[in-house]
Amino acid sequence: MEPRVPVQKRSREKVDRALRAADDLLEREGLAALTLPRVADEAGVSVGALYQYLPDREAIVAALSANYYARLEARMSKLVEQLLADPVPDPVAEVVAAMVQMYRDQTATRALRAGLQGAGQLAMAREHKSRMVDMVHTLLRGYGMPDSAVAARAMFFAADEIMHEAFAEQESGDEALIAELETMLRAYLAGS
């Protein structure tokens, strides 16, 4: 069953409340807590009111993931815009610092990565990563660096995986690993 998108304001508000509740549950109890009955109870709405929009864990995870990706992309887009309008000597440090802050601000969403199992969710993740790569590519071009979509892709995927690892066991992030990421990215850019 493909979940419907709420049209009425009241329904959108219920789904939004349910997704906030799901995010809170995810942070407190982890991915296993994301069941429709638990989310509905936490949000103070009936299961029936949510079923057509968030029928199961996969739909809840997909909706949380979409929200997370949208926030991350909006933050990256704003950062790229700022860095292109007002260049800084070390854009690598700016981008990495922004991503570290996003991870720190969104502790619950890190658990979503483990929940991205369905084909639709994997496709959503790939689309998100493609948009992020495009933003990195725009930033590289704006800073007069080699106009290489492949370089942007390599940098993003390396940084993405290292950031996930840096926050895998430490809620505030492994500072040494994050510093090494910055060093690696600068060295890669210097060699390009």
Side-chain angles (χ1 to χ4, degrees), residues 61-95:
V61 168
L64 289 174
S65 297
N67 288 347
Y68 170 67
Y69 292 154
R71 287 190 307 266
L72 187 60
E73 290 168 22
R75 186 176 232 171
M76 183 67 164
S77 179
K78 183 178 179 183
L79 179 62
V80 168
E81 186 178 301
Q82 289 171 344
L83 291 173
L84 292 177
D86 188 20
V88 297
D90 188 4
V92 168
E94 296 291 324
V95 171

Side-chain angles (χ1 to χ4, degrees), residues 14 32 51 82 124 165:
K14 285 180 183 178
Y51 182 77
Q82 289 171 344
M124 182 182 5
E165 185 62 28

Side-chain angles (χ1 to χ4, degrees), residues 1-3 19 22 26 31 34 53-70 73 109 111-131 157 160 164:
M1 172 184 190
E2 186 70 27
L19 290 175
L26 183 63
L31 198 57
L34 295 184
Y53 307 113
L54 301 168
D56 55 25
R57 178 176 305 166
E58 187 173 329
I60 295 166
V61 168
L64 289 174
S65 297
N67 288 347
Y68 170 67
Y69 292 154
E73 290 168 22
T109 51
L112 289 175
R113 188 170 190 201
L116 293 174
Q117 302 298 325
Q121 292 164 351
L122 292 175
M124 182 182 5
R126 294 296 301 167
E127 291 166 8
H128 157 71
K129 289 177 182 192
S130 178
R131 291 187 296 271
F157 281 102
D160 185 52
H164 285 295

